[in-house]
Amino acid sequence: MLPLTISMRERSRRSAIVLRLSNTPVALLEALAMGKEEYVRREGVAGNPNTPVVLLEILAKEQSKWVRRRVAGNHNTPLSFLELLAKDKEE
């Protein structure tokens, strides 16, 4: 059983672990892709093999370079997005 109070960081980490599953429902990925927690967007959504191309496109334009890097590593990211990400000035 989970403790009643867990930190936001721990909650984010646990959410991202669950979201890495390839059978994550697309509706859940859509909702979390627009969320505030960068860690969840990066690890749980951008890196998820079930994330649809439309969400990868949004995340490829994300302010966080870490989210953009995770999009680049997703096997479903189209070549056109990879070309855009390759031009990214931020290392």
Side-chain angles (χ1 to χ4, degrees):
M1 178 179 259
L2 292 176
L4 292 178
T5 57
I6 58 173
S7 69
M8 289 293 288
R9 184 177 200 170
E10 181 63 17
R11 191 173 72 192
S12 294
R13 188 184 71 74
R14 290 178 186 190
S15 297
I17 289 169
V18 170
L19 288 171
R20 286 186 197 142
L21 303 172
S22 61
N23 61 349
T24 306
V26 172
L28 180 58
L29 292 169
E30 289 171 345
L32 294 172
M34 303 307 154
K36 295 178 184 179
E37 298 180 35
E38 185 258 336
Y39 185 82
V40 172
R41 291 191 315 275
R42 179 183 77 221
E43 297 300 324
V45 183
N48 190 296
N50 201 39
T51 299
V53 172
V54 68
L55 287 181
L56 292 172
E57 180 179 17
I58 292 167
L59 294 171
K61 299 171 186 171
E62 168 82 36
Q63 183 177 357
S64 167
K65 70 179 178 183
W66 303 110
V67 173
R68 296 191 309 270
R69 285 182 180 185
R70 198 73 162 128
V71 170
N74 188 311
H75 295 290
N76 296 323
T77 301
L79 181 59
S80 60
F81 299 168
L82 293 175
E83 291 169 345
L84 172 73
L85 291 167
K87 296 175 186 174
D88 199 332
K89 302 281 188 224
E90 213 172 328
E91 292 188 26

